[in-house]
Amino acid sequence: MGRLDKREVLPSLEKLLEKIEKGEIEVLSYEKDALKQVIEQYETKERPMSAYFTLEDWLYNKNGKEKPIEIKSAMLWGALWVVKEMGCIDWDSMRNMYGEFMSKQMNLR
């Protein structure tokens, strides 16, 4: 079996939990709890990063291209801060992503 599409992962996990709760599959209680936690948090990290990259793309290619560099910088830094605070990236990743974006904007890369 190949890798699941992102849209198939959550329904698959939910079906697995359902089978566990019906007693069709036996697991330890902490494994069941872990599965429940994964289901609850599954899309939490996906959505912020997806939103961040949508913003970055907009700033590179669409109407954001016309914004002054100061506005782009503030928008991007704010988005990165939110993504970091949600636990999706760490401080170093945040700085690296900001640096990459800004160096491209200033034609240093």
Side-chain angles (χ1 to χ4, degrees), residues 12 22 27 29 43 45 50 108:
S12 295
K22 287 181 180 177
V27 297
S29 63
E43 292 189 24
K45 288 188 177 183
S50 177
L108 299 174

Side-chain angles (χ1 to χ4, degrees), residues 4-43:
L4 290 176
D5 183 78
K6 280 187 176 183
R7 295 172 297 226
E8 298 172 319
V9 172
L10 188 57
S12 295
L13 293 173
E14 289 169 338
K15 285 179 189 175
L16 177 61
L17 180 60
E18 188 178 310
K19 287 181 180 182
I20 291 169
E21 289 177 337
K22 287 181 180 177
E24 296 174 19
I25 299 174
E26 288 186 38
V27 297
L28 299 173
S29 63
Y30 75 89
E31 293 170 328
K32 181 179 173 183
D33 291 340
L35 180 60
K36 284 181 180 180
Q37 189 174 357
V38 167
I39 290 170
E40 289 171 7
Q41 297 177 359
Y42 177 71
E43 292 189 24

Side-chain angles (χ1 to χ4, degrees), residues 31-86:
E31 293 170 328
K32 181 179 173 183
D33 291 340
L35 180 60
K36 284 181 180 180
Q37 189 174 357
V38 167
I39 290 170
E40 289 171 7
Q41 297 177 359
Y42 177 71
E43 292 189 24
T44 302
K45 288 188 177 183
E46 292 294 319
R47 288 185 191 148
M49 291 308 296
S50 177
Y52 167 79
F53 287 116
T54 300
L55 172 65
E56 189 178 83
D57 182 58
W58 184 79
L59 290 171
Y60 276 132
N61 302 315
K62 298 184 179 135
N63 295 337
K65 200 173 195 175
E66 306 302 319
K67 300 278 184 210
I69 192 73
E70 297 86 359
I71 300 295
K72 289 181 186 182
S73 173
M75 291 174 72
L76 193 81
W77 187 255
L80 285 167
W81 189 270
V82 169
V83 170
K84 181 185 93 47
E85 290 300 313
M86 292 185 79

